[in-house]
Amino acid sequence: DRLKDMLGVMQAFDEYIVGKSPAHLVLAGPSVSGVTDDPEGAEVLDECVSAWRGLPHHSRTRIHLACLPMVDVDENAAIVNALQRHAAVVAQKSLAEGFGLTVSEALWKARPFVGTRVGGIPDQVTDGEEGLLIDDGTDLEAFGAAVLRLLDDRDLAERLGRNAHERALRDFLGDRHLEQYAALVGGLDSR
């Protein structure tokens, strides 16, 4: 999806993180053959592969493009879960976004998060509390600096991750919503 700005994430990692951190980047998305409702998917993947091929060799060894299988939803979920649970940082550098599932998953898994202050992301993450938010999704330097900050400051990353899990537990589980609906219905005037 172009609005996830995978090319921008890759470029920011190449320009602002490679050479300053031993971290690797995994850009993961669905296998485009397994998603029938995304006509741009194959184009975006081709653009990412082409851009990756144009990177210096050292950067290509640190940036990995992963197409996740979509045939078996349990297999897909297991791979996504493994990637997120082992990530030092989870990023969602969207140019536009609704309520981001990737964001909530990262919060639940106590992973430090970097994202853009667009759409529903700021409703899920408070800057400096559960993650770091950048104001402009096209500001690759700011994005790279935020990711590098969490890679370099493990105490901050762990604190944000703990706060993130507490936020997900408090605000984003279905039980909480059910309780809110019950309170709302119970509070309606029955006249």
Side-chain angles (χ1 to χ4, degrees):
D1 184 335
R2 279 196 178 82
L3 294 177
K4 305 294 186 208
D5 196 24
M6 296 289 210
L7 286 172
V9 172
M10 188 185 327
Q11 185 180 352
F13 192 85
D14 173 51
E15 292 179 19
Y16 300 106
I17 298 171
V18 170
K20 297 178 182 170
S21 169
H24 284 244
L25 171 66
V26 176
L27 284 176
S31 172
V32 295
S33 63
V35 180
T36 58
D37 65 344
D38 183 10
E40 287 187 328
E43 287 177 22
V44 173
L45 176 60
D46 289 345
E47 292 165 5
C48 287
V49 170
S50 179
W52 178 84
R53 286 185 176 139
L55 293 172
H57 176 14
H58 181 68
S59 293
R60 285 194 316 270
T61 65
R62 307 264 302 287
I63 297 172
H64 314 279
L65 304 179
C67 292
L68 308 184
M70 298 298 293
V71 175
D72 183 338
V73 294
D74 292 333
E75 178 185 29
N76 179 278
I79 294 169
V80 169
N81 183 50
L83 287 171
Q84 290 172 334
R85 288 197 181 274
H86 292 284
V89 176
V90 174
Q92 183 82 37
K93 196 186 81 55
S94 297
L95 303 175
E97 188 66 57
F99 186 89
L101 183 57
T102 299
V103 179
S104 291
E105 289 172 340
L107 297 177
W108 176 249
K109 293 167 186 162
R111 306 318 308 149
F113 175 81
V114 173
T116 44
R117 195 182 313 272
V118 297
I121 294 175
D123 293 332
Q124 295 170 269
V125 174
T126 303
D127 185 36
E129 294 297 320
E130 298 91 23
L132 301 177
L133 299 178
I134 61 169
D135 291 324
D136 179 359
T138 63
D139 187 344
L140 302 183
E141 185 174 6
F143 176 75
V147 172
L148 196 57
R149 180 175 174 203
L150 293 179
L151 292 171
D152 289 344
D153 189 342
R154 295 313 300 160
D155 290 338
L156 173 62
E158 287 177 22
R159 180 178 61 78
L160 295 178
R162 280 191 309 274
N163 291 348
H165 180 76
E166 290 170 13
R167 173 82 186 266
L169 187 62
R170 183 181 68 241
D171 294 340
F172 301 125
L173 295 183
D175 295 354
R176 175 191 161 267
H177 296 135
L178 184 59
E179 289 173 3
Q180 284 182 314
Y181 290 133
L184 176 65
V185 170
L188 293 175
D189 188 356
S190 59
R191 291 187 244 176

